[in-house]
Amino acid sequence: LAEGEWPYRDYFFAHPPLHVLIPGALFALFGFSITLAKLFTAAVGAVSAWAVWRIGRDHCGRWVGIAAFITLLFSAEFLKATSNMTGVNITTMFLVLGVWQALRGHGGWAGAWFGCAVCSGFYAMGPVCAVLVLLFFRSWRMATRQLFAFLLVAGLFNLGGYALGGEQFVDGVYRYHGLKKAQNGRM
């Protein structure tokens, strides 16, 4: 991005737009460096850990929040995700922020964060749908707000990706993954 090349249009990219646009914007502003890349992944991880702490503290008490925060910070998968720019760290951050807002009763904010999560990693769709279904049991109004905010944010980013790359966007982000052969034939 910093060199004027766009995903989907100028090169194949098999991930949703936010996976490349967020780090790309950062590097376009400050230039690329390994240090900045590592700081970015650590900062995204810190936001995720902060949101986990807030969820634990708000719903189970201060000590549970601290325990959840520490457990997350030292878990192997979290450490791997926050030391490499694979994109899972960005998706996780948006997912955790969405769950935090859903638990606070802010369906619109939850939907917006979930829309960002799916537009950074489509694998977030499972947990997003699960939270939406659970919210319908809690409050139709809040679930409806989440759904509309999700559709708005995810729709805008996907339309932007399509405007940028056309069918190459659809091929890279959606068709490519659907064409991969399953590693386990029984699945």
Side-chain angles (χ1 to χ4, degrees), residues 19-30:
H19 182 99
V20 71
L21 292 179
I22 294 173
L26 180 74
F27 296 139
L29 288 173
F30 301 106

Side-chain angles (χ1 to χ4, degrees), residues 1 14 37 40 54 66-67 72 74 87 91 102 111 116 123 154 186-187:
L1 286 174
F40 172 74
R54 286 296 307 262
I66 291 170
L72 178 65
F74 292 100
T91 305
C116 290
Y123 46 83
R186 292 177 290 167
M187 296 181 85

Side-chain angles (χ1 to χ4, degrees), residues 48-85:
S48 298
W50 174 82
V52 165
W53 168 73
R54 286 296 307 262
I55 291 168
R57 186 197 76 175
D58 294 349
H59 296 282
C60 300
R62 182 175 64 175
W63 292 109
V64 170
I66 291 170
F69 177 81
I70 291 170
T71 302
L72 178 65
L73 283 180
F74 292 100
S75 67
E77 287 301 318
F78 187 78
L79 288 171
K80 284 188 245 178
T82 56
S83 61
N84 293 308
M85 195 170 288

